[in-house]
Amino acid sequence: LARISRATGLNIVMGAGHYVPVAHPADMDERSEDSIYERLVRDVTVGVGDTGIKSGVIGELGNVHPLTDNQTKVLRAAGRAHAETGCPGLIHPGHHEASHLSILEILDRAGCPPERVIMGHLDFIQEIETIEWLAGTGCYMEWDIFGFEDTNLAAGSPPPIVVPTDAQRIERIERVFEMGRGDRVLMGHDVC
């Protein structure tokens, strides 16, 4: 990342933490919340390994619904690490609309208020009430898969994932601006 940053002149922000359970290390069940917290704090304040390169965001912390014990442990450690470092959190909430509330509650109780959280992948939220509720929490709201309009996911096994069009994404973002929360909108391009 440092080599790419130097070569391009771009400011690249590296994340710290654990993604979705399928990407967790084999010994994740044995890792304690304290050990995860200590690693996150070290990655942000000292640097990753012996590189001296510090993480600038805690995440993308990957979640699926319902939350597993390991995901909850990671979220609590991340909330504590935020309280120690001030480093914001970036969340992959999964595709279930009920997950956002529980994730924000866990982070907040551990020391990371919603105002310091980026809730990613909001493209998949169908209910405008959920968008309005999230806007009301003060979290940063990220629509990050512009250009991805694959209808094949809707036929997937339960629950099917409904992928909106870019026009629908823009309508939801307009609603957030109408609520006076446009300063909390982030957009990205997470299509790989």
Side-chain angles (χ1 to χ4, degrees), residues 1-12:
L1 292 176
R3 183 176 48 81
I4 293 168
S5 180
R6 284 190 296 271
T8 62
L10 293 174
N11 184 24
I12 298 174

Side-chain angles (χ1 to χ4, degrees), residues 18-161:
H18 295 282
Y19 192 52
V20 294
V22 70
H24 285 177
D27 67 345
M28 190 61 156
D29 289 342
E30 288 76 44
R31 292 186 185 199
S32 69
E33 178 183 324
D34 285 343
S35 71
I36 296 168
Y37 157 77
E38 290 165 4
R39 174 70 180 267
L40 291 171
V41 170
R42 185 181 192 291
D43 287 354
V44 170
T45 60
V46 176
V48 176
D50 61 359
T51 65
I53 300 171
K54 300 175 185 177
S55 296
V57 66
I58 298 172
E60 179 177 12
L61 302 177
N63 297 277
V64 296
H65 186 80
L67 292 175
T68 65
D69 291 342
N70 282 333
Q71 289 173 105
T72 302
K73 177 172 52 177
V74 167
L75 289 168
R76 284 193 312 259
R80 291 172 54 202
H82 164 78
E84 176 74 20
T85 66
C87 193
L90 171 61
I91 303 299
H92 169 99
H95 302 294
H96 195 284
E97 295 197 23
S99 65
H100 303 87
L101 171 62
S102 56
I103 291 166
L104 287 175
E105 285 178 343
I106 292 166
L107 287 169
D108 194 27
R109 282 194 307 266
C112 183
E115 298 83 19
R116 299 293 294 158
V117 175
I118 302 164
M119 190 63 71
H121 308 315
L122 297 185
D123 309 71
F124 296 111
I125 293 180
Q126 299 302 307
E127 301 297 327
I128 193 64
E129 293 81 10
T130 304
I131 297 293
E132 291 170 344
W133 176 83
L134 279 167
T137 70
C139 72
Y140 284 91
M141 306 174 70
E142 184 175 81
W143 282 265
D144 49 27
I145 58 170
F146 279 91
F148 183 66
E149 297 185 1
D150 186 350
T151 57
N152 291 330
L153 289 175
S157 58
I161 299 170

Side-chain angles (χ1 to χ4, degrees), residues 154-175:
S157 58
I161 299 170
V162 178
V163 181
T165 65
D166 284 348
Q168 290 170 317
R169 288 180 180 96
I170 292 168
E171 287 173 359
R172 292 176 184 136
I173 292 169
E174 285 175 337
R175 176 64 190 123

